[in-house]
Each structure stands twice: as C-alpha cells, then as structure tokens.
Amino acid sequence: RNCLNTCRGREIKHTGDGVMASFLSVPDAVECAVAVQKAFAAYNQKHSEAPLYVRVGVSAGEPIEEHGDLFGKSVQLGARVWTRAEPGRILIDQVVLDQSSDKNLPISDLGGVTLKGFDHAVRVYEIEWMQT
C-alpha cells in the first residue's frame, strides 16, 4: 500500500487475497508493480523460512466508476491477466506495453492468451522486473 501512495495510485477495494488499484497513468501502475515485487523479494530474502509472493496483472483503459468501485472491460481484462500470472510475476496487456514504450522495460512476449469473457486471444507480456 505504500507503493500506491508513492506511485499516485489508490486502492479501489480489497479482494480477499488481493487488491484492486487504479492509477493516474500507466507508467505509475508499472512503477508500482515493479516496486511491489522488489519489496516482496527483499522481504523474502530476510524471511526465507516463510516467503510471501504476489502476482500482478496490469491493464489500461477507461473504467466505469460507480459507488467507489470500478467496472468495465479494462477492469475485467486486468483481473483475467492477473489470474494468468504466476506468483512473483507481473503480466501486462498490449495497451500497457504501448504506453510504457519510453520506459525501455525488459519484456517477454507470452503471445496470445485466451481469457475468460474475451472473444479473441489477448496478447500478454511479462515484465522481467528483476532486470530493472
């Protein structure tokens, strides 16, 4: 949650074992995702007997806001991308990659992925955050 404040994000809701957040810009969201993974990696070095891992999915778009919650295709896409991420990984969609091109991030193209609720395969990428 500290990363949310630093990266101009806000927690929309707690989802049981996760957090849905919104950011003012795609670069802010990516910066936060990398910072969160690095923070957990640092924690795990000190607590190797009980490591904690998170997975992150990032999508971009204009959600619909209603009663403090967010809805819409971009929200669904972010949730679906998140479910495909393995613990300790950050997955993003094409729009996020396009809007992060000036960041020169180390990226792996995972190809088209079939996601629940989407008619066509969605191109997904992994941010190789350990190389940043």
Side-chain angles (χ1 to χ4, degrees):
R1 289 190 171 110
N2 290 337
C3 292
L4 287 176
N5 292 329
T6 303
C7 298
R8 301 184 310 159
R10 69 180 173 110
E11 182 176 337
I12 302 301
K13 64 182 171 184
H14 191 269
T15 62
D17 62 350
V19 172
M20 180 180 22
S22 177
F23 294 85
L24 293 177
S25 73
V26 169
D28 289 340
V30 169
E31 180 182 337
C32 186
V34 170
V36 165
Q37 290 296 17
K38 286 183 176 183
F40 272 88
Y43 172 88
N44 289 341
Q45 283 186 332
K46 294 178 184 174
H47 302 91
S48 60
E49 72 287 350
L52 296 173
Y53 297 95
V54 295
R55 54 187 176 169
V56 179
V58 183
S59 68
E62 295 192 25
I64 299 163
E65 186 166 1
E66 191 173 290
H67 306 294
D69 203 352
L70 297 178
F71 303 91
K73 189 173 182 176
S74 62
V75 174
Q76 291 172 340
L77 181 56
R80 299 297 184 246
V81 169
W82 170 76
T83 62
R84 297 301 293 249
E86 295 294 325
R89 295 175 76 183
I90 301 169
L91 300 186
I92 63 175
D93 68 3
Q94 184 69 52
V95 175
V96 173
L97 178 64
D98 293 345
Q99 294 184 20
S100 301
S101 60
D102 64 329
K103 292 286 186 189
N104 203 20
L105 294 169
I107 299 289
S108 293
D109 185 345
L110 303 180
V113 177
T114 303
L115 301 173
K116 180 181 173 184
F118 290 84
D119 296 333
H120 304 289
V122 175
R123 190 156 218 114
V124 175
Y125 302 86
E126 179 177 0
I127 297 176
E128 302 289 347
W129 60 269
M130 288 182 265
Q131 298 176 30
T132 62

